[in-house]
Each structure stands twice: as structure tokens, then as C-alpha cells.
Amino acid sequence: MPDTHVAPMPEKHTIGYVPESDRHGKVRDLFTLWFGGNLAPLPIVTGALGPSLFGIIVQIPFLATSLYTGPVSAFLGGADLSWVAGLVVTGPIYLLLARRGSTGAKSTSAATREPARL
């Protein structure tokens, strides 16, 4: 009995090799798939944008790349410790913000609020 069920293209090959005859589209069609996660508004919404930018600024002196070597990294013989500096500085900031809320206000539940007066 022949198989009459045809699965959608991604399901047809799962993670296996995709033959040339089944390949279509262009690389630019994958732009949103590749870069969509980097454009997420979550840091802005959660209030983490400030600490994130501060962490990037703190990492600059510790960078060691082919384009730029920071002063601290040059002093240490070219060791790239930027990720360590970023974690050490921003970790406590994120922890502090998580414990008190991004705005510092106490959260109130519906059960503790006064009922609306008409």
C-alpha cells in the first residue's frame, strides 16, 4: 500500500540531510529567524536595559580581541576577562533588582487592595 500522507517540508527531513531538489529559498529569507532573538524587547520591558548597558561598559577595559585590547587585559598579558568582569559587576545588580522589583515599589495583590468605591 503506497504512503499517501505527505508531511510538511520541515517535518519531512527532521534533522537529516535535505536533498538539493527539496531546497528552495534564499539565505536572506532566514534573516528574521537568525536575528529575531536579538531584537527582543524583554530587557526594556523588565527594566534590565540599564544594568545590561552598564555591564557592557564595564567589560570594555577587560576585552582582548583582534580589534581591541583593553588596558586591564594588556596589563594581564592579553587575557580576556570581560565575561568575568561583567558577571561580577552586573550579577549583584540583577540580584538586587530582582529582590526589590525593577521599580523598587512593593507589589500588591488584588486581595490586599481596597475595593473600588462607586
Side-chain angles (χ1 to χ4, degrees):
M1 185 164 165
D3 185 19
T4 58
H5 177 71
V6 178
M9 189 61 66
E11 299 298 325
K12 183 177 176 183
H13 299 291
T14 61
I15 61 171
Y17 176 76
V18 179
E20 287 289 332
S21 62
D22 289 344
R23 297 181 189 188
H24 52 82
K26 305 219 181 299
V27 174
R28 70 173 176 259
D29 296 337
L30 297 174
F31 177 81
T32 55
L33 178 65
W34 290 342
F35 296 103
N38 295 332
L39 302 175
L42 186 63
I44 298 169
V45 174
T46 61
L49 184 62
S52 297
L53 293 176
F54 181 68
I56 291 170
I57 292 169
V58 167
Q59 291 178 10
I60 291 173
F62 297 90
L63 281 174
T65 65
S66 59
L67 297 174
Y68 174 77
T69 301
V72 176
S73 179
F75 178 76
L76 295 174
D80 186 357
L81 299 175
S82 59
W83 64 276
V84 175
L87 286 175
V88 168
V89 171
T90 58
I93 295 173
Y94 286 128
L95 184 62
L96 177 68
L97 289 175
R99 286 192 177 170
R100 69 179 189 129
S102 62
T103 61
K106 292 182 180 178
S107 63
T108 59
S109 65
T112 60
R113 285 189 226 138
E114 290 185 32
R117 297 182 189 195
L118 300 175

